[in-house]
Amino acid sequence: MVTPVLTPTTMTFFERFETDILSGKKTITIRDETELHYVPNSVVTVSTLETGREFCQLAILAVEPISFSALSDFHAEQENMTLAELKQVIQDIYPGIDQLYVVSYKLVGQL
Ligand SMILES: CC(=O)Nc1cc[nH]c(=O)n1
């Protein structure tokens, strides 16, 4: 029996990231292993985690593994944060997790 792997068509963000996503200032999202199955060249509909309100569509460009210790100023710049801010955000969301995934995307359109 082959288990089909479905391409994710949705993604959620905390509401506090919406403005930076819609302005193009935030172009990556760093997720844990539960969200590594996004597929390059696919499009996802984005909603807020808090209320489920849909606010944009994103084209997935790449999904690349990274360890927490390898997070750099370049990642922080793509998140529109300082590196210290980014590390705190990731530690708050994924406490104690070292294996992470950088999901790169481009804004397709606001909903
Ligand atoms: C809902 C959620 O996990 N949101 C995240 C997590 C990590 N980065 C990010 O931009 N958004």
Side-chain angles (χ1 to χ4, degrees):
M1 166 68 177
V2 176
T3 306
V5 176
L6 300 177
T7 299
T9 58
T10 61
M11 179 184 280
T12 60
F13 283 88
F14 294 110
E15 203 155 82
R16 66 181 185 269
F17 295 136
E18 179 177 358
T19 300
D20 280 357
I21 294 165
L22 293 178
S23 67
K25 290 179 181 177
K26 175 181 167 67
T27 60
I28 64 170
T29 183
I30 298 168
R31 301 296 170 111
D32 70 1
E33 63 181 13
T34 66
E35 293 192 82
L36 68 79
H37 298 297
Y38 291 104
V39 178
N41 300 315
S42 68
V43 175
V44 295
T45 297
V46 172
S47 60
T48 63
L49 183 76
E50 295 87 344
T51 66
R53 177 177 52 82
E54 296 179 349
F55 66 88
C56 74
Q57 289 191 307
L58 302 175
I60 304 298
L61 301 177
V63 181
E64 298 156 306
I66 191 164
S67 60
F68 177 83
S69 59
L71 291 176
S72 69
D73 287 326
F74 181 50
H75 298 106
E77 183 182 342
Q78 297 172 92
E79 289 260 17
N80 193 37
M81 299 179 195
T82 65
L83 183 55
E85 289 170 335
L86 176 60
K87 287 187 171 183
Q88 190 59 62
V89 164
I90 296 301
Q91 284 179 330
D92 290 345
I93 298 170
Y94 305 120
I97 302 296
D98 186 59
Q99 182 62 69
L100 299 163
Y101 297 85
V102 178
V103 181
S104 306
Y105 61 77
K106 68 177 179 182
L107 181 67
V108 169
Q110 184 172 352
L111 297 177

